[in-house]
Amino acid sequence: MTDSRSLERWATWREIHRQPEIWRSWAADLAREAGALRRWIAERGVEEVWLCGAGSSSFIGEIAAAGAGRPGPRLRAVPTTDYVAAPQDFPAPKGRLLVVQFSRSGDSSESVGMLDLLDQLLPEADRLHVTCNPEGTLATRAHPGPGELRLLLPPEAAHDQGFAMTSSVSCMLLGALAVFDPETDAARALPILAEGAEELLERLKDWAQPRPDRAFFLGSGALKFAARESALKVLELTAGRVNAAWDSPLGFRHGPKSAVEPDAQVYVLLHPDHRTARYDSDLAEEVARQYPEAEVRTIGTGGEIPAQGLGKARWDAVLHIIPAQMLAARWSDGLGLNVDDPFKGQGSLTRVVAGVKLYRFEP
């Protein structure tokens, strides 16, 4: 077992563990900023919001949009990787549009490509940029208008230096929820989540699951995309040496379950709504019964790995991804990889995606 103290040499491990402190210290300021942004959105008459990003940043939009209802404008997840490739598939809505972009660096190829396309095709749309890098393109590039631009910067500590996004994901997600879930007070919510995260990190500090060949992360509703983020963390930090996949518990039965093998590990993210959690628990019990040699663990309220938050799936997603962050870092270190840059020397993947050839869109 890798000693937790030895993992402290990696920035990624420290970034995972500093999340509660960042959330708690940001709570009051975020609540004020979110209130001002909600007033601006109302004044602008925004009717539809596109939540955009690439990779982990796109999952933020998926989580925030899942189950979102009134009050407020309609939320729609639009990954920049989809929009840049096929903007013709995303016609402008009839009402006023707000485009929200999430990006840790603000400099990825798709972030820049999205700005270029918006300048060309939707200059009248308002924009909100949520980025951890105050010097990146998202933070510094002007909007040509007539739409307006606002910026939401998480605390400096959220700007991860490791390859994998950890505290940056949770902070950008919490920032989005503070703005687009007016029924939840961020000043109250973030300290509660911070306490839940501290309890979870303490519980798992010496947790060392043997590294499997395959790992599966399953979640319902908003937690489906927390499961996707969990699987991505494992893939990234183990440089693909652990084949990680994700699905919903009900969807898992429709083919993907066939990939479970004796040494597989299956993690089911329990939805905080007991009506939905019934399906999560049933699937966990079924897999454990049908694959007795596989490791099956539930994460959440009442699970083998307890995670106590607000009882709201979109907000509690920041807790559900912590176990995968910790597992991925441990497995990466156990493989002898550079946890802060698993692809160092290979050049196949980089911390900020660059080098994508961008083409001018011809309407």
Side-chain angles (χ1 to χ4, degrees), residues 89-217:
D89 292 347
F90 300 91
K94 292 182 180 179
R96 175 162 287 280
L97 173 65
L98 169 64
V99 178
V100 183
Q101 275 212 70
F102 304 100
S103 175
R104 175 174 64 178
S105 69
D107 286 326
S108 70
S109 295
E110 291 86 2
S111 294
V112 175
M114 185 84 176
L115 291 178
D116 291 343
L117 285 166
L118 292 174
D119 287 354
Q120 178 188 356
L121 303 174
L122 294 169
E124 70 282 0
D126 293 324
R127 302 180 194 177
L128 171 61
H129 295 168
V130 185
T131 178
C132 300
N133 182 10
E135 298 179 356
T137 303
L138 281 188
T140 59
R141 179 163 153 174
H143 185 351
E148 295 185 1
L149 169 66
R150 294 292 186 273
L151 182 65
L152 179 60
L153 287 170
E156 183 180 353
H159 191 192
D160 306 317
Q161 296 308 301
F163 173 89
M165 292 174 61
T166 55
S167 56
S168 55
V169 168
S170 64
C171 287
M172 287 194 289
L173 173 57
L174 292 172
L177 293 173
V179 174
F180 296 108
D181 181 5
E183 297 181 338
T184 303
D185 178 14
R188 173 183 171 273
L190 267 64
I192 293 173
L193 291 169
E195 182 177 351
E198 286 168 344
E199 292 175 357
L200 186 57
L201 289 164
E202 176 64 22
R203 182 182 296 273
L204 300 179
K205 67 179 181 179
D206 296 320
W207 185 45
Q209 289 283 79
R211 176 173 50 85
D213 290 329
R214 299 180 186 181
F216 301 89
F217 296 87

Side-chain angles (χ1 to χ4, degrees), residues 234-282:
V234 171
L235 280 172
E236 288 179 327
L237 289 180
T238 66
R241 300 274 287 277
V242 175
N243 187 1
W246 63 279
D247 210 323
S248 68
L250 290 182
F252 193 58
R253 291 187 177 94
H254 293 260
K257 192 172 69 169
S258 61
V260 176
E261 57 184 12
D263 85 328
Q265 294 180 20
V266 182
Y267 296 91
V268 182
L269 282 53
L270 296 175
H271 199 282
D273 189 312
H274 72 277
R275 297 166 296 185
T276 302
R278 294 175 297 185
Y279 293 98
D280 304 334
S281 298
D282 286 351

Side-chain angles (χ1 to χ4, degrees), residues 55-56 58-64 66 165 169-170 173 216-234 244-249 267-272 299 312-325:
S56 294
S58 74
F59 309 156
I60 293 170
E62 299 279 12
I63 293 170
M165 292 174 61
V169 168
S170 64
L173 173 57
F216 301 89
F217 296 87
L218 311 173
S220 300
L223 297 186
K224 177 179 178 180
F225 303 101
R228 188 175 187 183
E229 168 63 10
S230 297
L232 180 61
K233 287 289 95 63
V234 171
W246 63 279
D247 210 323
S248 68
Y267 296 91
V268 182
L269 282 53
L270 296 175
H271 199 282
I299 302 172
K312 299 182 177 183
R314 295 189 296 165
W315 290 84
D316 291 354
V318 297
L319 302 180
H320 283 82
I321 61 179
I322 286 176
Q325 293 175 346

Side-chain angles (χ1 to χ4, degrees), residues 26-103:
W26 192 29
D29 287 343
L30 174 59
R32 285 193 293 271
E33 290 183 78
L37 286 169
R38 283 197 298 272
R39 290 190 292 273
W40 171 66
I41 290 168
E43 291 166 1
R44 297 293 290 170
V46 172
E47 297 178 50
E48 181 164 317
V49 177
W50 289 359
L51 302 169
C52 309
S56 294
S57 295
S58 74
F59 309 156
I60 293 170
E62 299 279 12
I63 293 170
R70 295 290 177 182
R74 175 175 178 258
L75 304 184
R76 180 185 181 190
V78 179
T80 56
T81 44
D82 291 348
Y83 190 86
V84 168
Q88 68 273 16
D89 292 347
F90 300 91
K94 292 182 180 179
R96 175 162 287 280
L97 173 65
L98 169 64
V99 178
V100 183
Q101 275 212 70
F102 304 100
S103 175

